[in-house]
């Protein structure tokens, strides 16, 4: 069901500083920047690699307000890995299959994600403490 790691989401307090860090230390390149009001984030995707099943990225996330998912995460835990996004072929079908196994779905239906993807989150408490995102890329 999971095709690849689409991205690792990293929560940060200053997006521009963190982009500069990933560019200068790892030589990564920003391929997309978006503000997602619904998710309460300003974010950048940095390309890591291409594979048979699609590309993988680091996603840097800065909260738009303290009272957002990433804002609350930063207040509680500080900067660091916020979630893992896995590529799937069909996010609606994957949600159905995963939900049937008793995992709590944060999103019952896909929402709009970075770079035109359809995304949905699974509750971290049912995935061993890992906020998990399913990503159906618009690029394949
Ligand atoms: C919260 N918890 C986490 C967590 N966030 N555990 C692991 N990883 C995370 N990122 C834990 C808390 O420590 C707490 O555990 C419990 O979950 C409840 O957290 P809370 O602080 O009380 O917050 P809630 O319950 O209001 O919300 C948590 C929840 C929320 C995961 C449901 O953040 C959510 O709906 N996230 C999905 C949307 C999201 O994250 N959007 C931003 C990225 P304890 O043990 O202390 O009770 S948007 C994105 O990434 C898009 C743009 C894209 O990829 O394209």
């Amino acid at each position: 069901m999971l095709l690849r790691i689409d991205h690792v989401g990293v929560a940060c307090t200053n997006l521009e500083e963190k982009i500069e860090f990933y560019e200068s230390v790892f030589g990564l390149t920003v391929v997309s920047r978006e503000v997602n009001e619904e998710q309460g984030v300003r974010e950048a995707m940095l390309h890591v690699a291409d594979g048979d099943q699609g590309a993988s990225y680091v996603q840097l996330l800065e909260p738009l307000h303290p009272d957002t998912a990433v804002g609350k995460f930063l207040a509680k835990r500080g900067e660091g890995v916020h979630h893992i996004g896995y590529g799937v072929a069909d996010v609606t079908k994957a949600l159905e299959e995963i939900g049937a196994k008793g995992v709590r779905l944060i999103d019952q239906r896909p929402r709009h994600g970075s770079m035109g993807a359809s995304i949905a989150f699974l509750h971290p408490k049912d995935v061993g403490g890992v906020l998990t995102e399913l990503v159906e890329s618009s690029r394949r």
Side-chain angles (χ1 to χ4, degrees):
M1 180 194 296
L2 305 181
L3 301 176
R4 69 187 192 286
I5 293 177
D6 181 275
H7 66 269
V8 175
V10 176
C12 63
T13 53
N14 186 317
L15 184 63
E16 298 311 320
E17 271 179 28
K18 211 55 81 188
I19 288 172
E20 162 66 20
F21 176 86
Y22 275 80
E23 285 178 340
S24 62
V25 174
F26 299 122
L28 297 186
T29 304
V30 174
V31 293
S32 162
R33 282 171 184 261
E34 286 179 44
V35 172
N36 188 324
E37 297 277 354
E38 186 189 28
Q39 296 286 352
V41 293
R42 178 177 295 113
E43 53 99 355
M45 293 292 256
L46 293 91
H47 180 257
V48 177
D50 288 312
D52 291 348
Q53 300 295 334
S56 62
Y57 307 89
V58 172
Q59 181 185 50
L60 301 177
L61 300 155
E62 182 191 290
L64 292 176
H65 315 285
D67 191 21
T68 57
V70 176
K72 283 162 76 177
F73 177 91
L74 282 171
K76 221 172 204 177
R77 302 182 181 210
E79 293 189 317
V81 174
H82 178 259
H83 67 266
I84 297 179
Y86 293 103
V88 295
D90 182 335
V91 68
T92 305
K93 189 159 164 261
L95 276 178
E96 219 169 87
E97 288 176 23
I98 293 167
K101 290 178 181 163
V103 175
R104 227 174 324 159
L105 310 177
I106 292 174
D107 301 304
Q108 304 296 324
R109 289 192 199 85
R111 294 203 269 173
H112 164 70
S114 189
M115 300 193 292
S118 291
I119 62 166
F121 284 92
L122 311 178
H123 204 287
K125 290 292 176 193
D126 284 359
V127 194
V130 180
L131 177 59
T132 300
E133 179 183 342
L134 306 174
V135 182
E136 181 182 330
S137 171
S138 64
R139 297 187 167 199
R140 303 188 65 247

